[in-house]
Structure formats: C-alpha cells, structure tokens
Amino acid sequence: MSKNVTIIGGGVIGLAWTRKFLEKGWNVHLNDSQDISAFIEKEFNGKVKFFHDLAESVKDADYVQECGPERLPIKQDIFKILAQHAPTHAIFASSSSSIVSSEIAENNPAADRILIGHPFNPANIMPLVEVVPNPKTSKDTVNTAMQIYSELGYEPALIQKEIAGFVANRLQIAFLNECYYLVEQGIIDAADLDKLVLNSLGLRWSTVGPFEGEHLGGGAQGISHLLSGVGSNMNFQLGTPDPTKAHILIEQTEKAYGVGEENWKKRSEKRDQLTEEILKLRKQTK
Ligand SMILES: NC(=O)c1ccc[n+]([C@@H]2O[C@H](COP(=O)([O-])OP(=O)(O)OC[C@H]3O[C@@H](n4cnc5c(N)ncnc54)[C@H](O)[C@@H]3O)[C@@H](O)[C@H]2O)c1
C-alpha cells in the first residue's frame, strides 16, 4: 500500500520534495499558509491534494517533510500542531538549512520523532540529504528517515551530532566568506574567482572529496606526506568579509552573469544539465 507524505510549504524546496515523493508512488498532501491550490492542481495534474489547514493535512501522514520559512518560532508552532494532529507513528522532518532540531522540538511531546532532513538545492537533482537527529530522536526515527531518503534516490548522510548549519552549509559558508573577502579586497574579481575555482577546486571536488583529494595529493605516501610537507606551510591568516562592501560583490556578479528571470532560467537550466551529466558520468565510472 502506498504511503502518505505531507509537505509543508510549497516554495522552492517543498515543490522539489513533492516531485520526488510523487515519482516514487507516495500519496502527497501539500500544506501552505498561502492559497496556492490552483497552482498545485495545475503543476501536478491533480495528483497532489492541497490543504490550507495544517492539522487536516497531516491527519493520515506517515511522514512529514516541513519546508516552511527558516524562522524558529514558525517551525516550533508547525511542529506542535504536527505532534497534536498527525498519527502517533508519523515522523516529522524539517528541511531547515541551519536550525538544529532540538530547538524546533523544544517542549514538543513528539521530540523522539523529530529530526532534520536537509536537502541541497536544486533538491530534485542534488543527491545529498543531511539527516541530523537531536539527542531525543529515536534510533527507529533515524533509520526510517535514512531508508526513505535512500528509496527516494538520495544519498543521505547521517550527521552524528547536531551543530548549527550542519556540515554542508558550514563548509559552504567558510569557503564563501573567503571568496567574498578576496573580491572585496580587489585581489581578484568575481568572474575570475569563479573561473579559478571551476578550473581547480570545483573540478577536483566533483571527482573526489577533500580527504581523498589530500590523500592522493600526497603521492604514494598519501595524506601523512601531504600534511607534513606542503600542508604544514599553509598557515596564513584567512580574511573576514565586510558586510558594508557587499555592493562590490553584487555589482561584479550582476555584470558578469546578467539579471532577470529569462537569464536566471537559462543559466540554471545549464547548471542542472551539467550537474546531471556529471552524476551520470560518476555512476558509469564507479
Ligand atoms: N532554498 C534553498 O536553497 C534551500 C535548500 C535547502 C533547505 N532549505 C530550507 O527549506 C525551507 C524552505 O525554503 P524555501 O527556499 O523553499 O522557502 P520559500 O520561501 O521558497 O518557501 C516557503 C513556503 O512556505 C510557505 N509558508 C510560510 N509560512 C508557512 C506556514 N506557517 N505554514 C505553511 N507554509 C508556510 C510560504 O508561503 C512558501 O510557499 C527552509 O527551512 C530553508 O532553510 C532551503
């Protein structure tokens, strides 16, 4: 028998999850605080049932994937309603990009069934879902969430201890901060920095992860050689971006890549197509 999922929030991420769950034969209910029923009806050919009322939308849910705004009080309120109105076996996952689920589950009687299931944008193409339990999340909840995301075709990564921003966004922010700093300081301009990354770190990390990259970079002796050689001299101070200089980043980026919906569509389609080609190649060369 097919299972029931409720997606809360029909924005960028909620729509991507909706597509994935539908593809795999789940019954999908979608709740949003805005009335987007006509759009949902058209977008999914009547296959997704829209609910304006949150409590009603989770009455028969086996799994809930919350994709509302990234605001703690809103998420806390939503999860309280889930605990009151969803079946007692239902699991509640938040797509949050940075908020830990122990905060979302504060004073929530269903804390053992709450966890983070954080996808990476574009969430219908990127294989990652970070599964981040909180100290009260039960093992069964974690195992079921891992299994569901795998069955949907994702490659879920279990994050062992919760930490704000989890892993992918902490890495992303650390790297982006240095990119912002270098451009603000006039050391390189935005388009040249992009080209530099595409021709080095981007290419390397789309084939091997940072640790395997280090291990291979050390030659036959591996990471121990690298860390005691080249690595031991990489001890310069990194920069901190200045928010008052953000206009420099915006001006250079808009000049290099253009603006507007048509432009966005064209460029994001090209990005998605390339991403899918890389994933295909990776599968073939395993
Ligand atoms: N966009 C990304 O790159 C990205 C990636 C991974 C995770 N996330 C996370 O996913 C979540 C959703 O992000 P998004 O980018 O899809 O946001 P979005 O703004 O595109 O969509 C949010 C949706 O939630 C609806 N909403 C607002 N309040 C609500 C409520 N109380 N109940 C039900 N629906 C409500 C809005 O009407 C809107 O349709 C956030 O927690 C975000 O951190 C976003």
Side-chain angles (χ1 to χ4, degrees), residues 8-15 17 31-34 36 54 66-71 74-75 78 94-99 117-123 169:
I8 300 171
V12 178
I13 296 302
L15 294 178
W17 281 121
N31 160 263
D32 200 291
S33 54
Q34 314 271 339
I36 52 168
L54 176 59
E66 177 273 325
C67 318
E70 189 74 342
R71 298 271 177 280
I74 297 181
K75 293 203 189 287
I78 289 175
S94 171
S95 304
S96 174
S97 305
S98 60
I99 305 171
H118 170 236
F120 215 60
N121 205 25
N169 275 333

Side-chain angles (χ1 to χ4, degrees), residues 168-178:
N169 275 333
R170 291 182 77 91
L171 295 175
Q172 175 164 235
I173 292 300
F175 187 74
L176 281 176
N177 275 344
E178 188 60 19

Side-chain angles (χ1 to χ4, degrees), residues 86-257:
T88 52
H89 71 274
I91 288 176
F92 310 137
S94 171
S95 304
S96 174
S97 305
S98 60
I99 305 171
V100 290
S101 71
S102 54
E103 289 184 4
I104 296 172
E106 212 170 67
N107 298 321
N108 190 310
D112 60 318
R113 291 183 282 134
I114 294 175
L115 81 178
I116 300 291
H118 170 236
F120 215 60
N121 205 25
N124 52 330
I125 299 176
M126 287 285 180
L128 178 71
V129 178
E130 288 179 287
V131 173
V132 197
N134 68 72
K136 290 187 179 162
T137 313
S138 74
K139 283 216 159 57
D140 276 356
T141 298
V142 174
N143 292 341
T144 307
M146 291 289 288
Q147 192 185 335
I148 287 173
Y149 294 132
S150 299
E151 285 169 7
L152 291 175
Y154 288 99
E155 296 221 20
L158 179 60
I159 310 301
Q160 289 160 24
K161 271 195 216 166
E162 63 174 8
I163 182 167
F166 323 126
V167 174
N169 275 333
R170 291 182 77 91
L171 295 175
Q172 175 164 235
I173 292 300
F175 187 74
L176 281 176
N177 275 344
E178 188 60 19
C179 295
Y180 298 159
Y181 174 78
L182 292 169
V183 171
E184 282 169 8
Q185 294 300 311
I187 288 158
I188 188 164
D189 69 30
D192 283 344
L193 184 138
D194 276 4
K195 200 166 155 195
L196 181 154
V197 172
L198 279 175
N199 287 320
S200 56
L201 293 169
L203 201 51
R204 176 185 290 169
W205 288 342
S206 63
T207 58
V208 290
F211 283 101
E212 189 178 354
E214 293 290 271
H215 200 35
L216 294 173
Q221 288 168 281
I223 190 167
S224 65
H225 180 66
L226 192 104
L227 290 180
S228 59
V230 188
S232 64
N233 277 316
M234 298 270 189
N235 48 14
F236 36 77
Q237 202 70 49
L238 295 178
T240 306
D242 175 355
T244 67
K245 292 188 173 155
H247 63 278
I248 299 175
L249 312 175
I250 297 169
E251 274 162 25
Q252 290 191 17
T253 308
E254 289 186 349
K255 189 169 168 222
Y257 303 112

Side-chain angles (χ1 to χ4, degrees), residues 16 20 120-128 153-154 268-269 271-277 279:
K20 278 281 180 184
F120 215 60
N121 205 25
N124 52 330
I125 299 176
M126 287 285 180
L128 178 71
Y154 288 99
S268 51
E269 270 168 16
R271 172 203 61 188
D272 292 354
Q273 200 186 335
L274 268 173
T275 309
E276 286 181 309
E277 289 299 324
L279 286 172

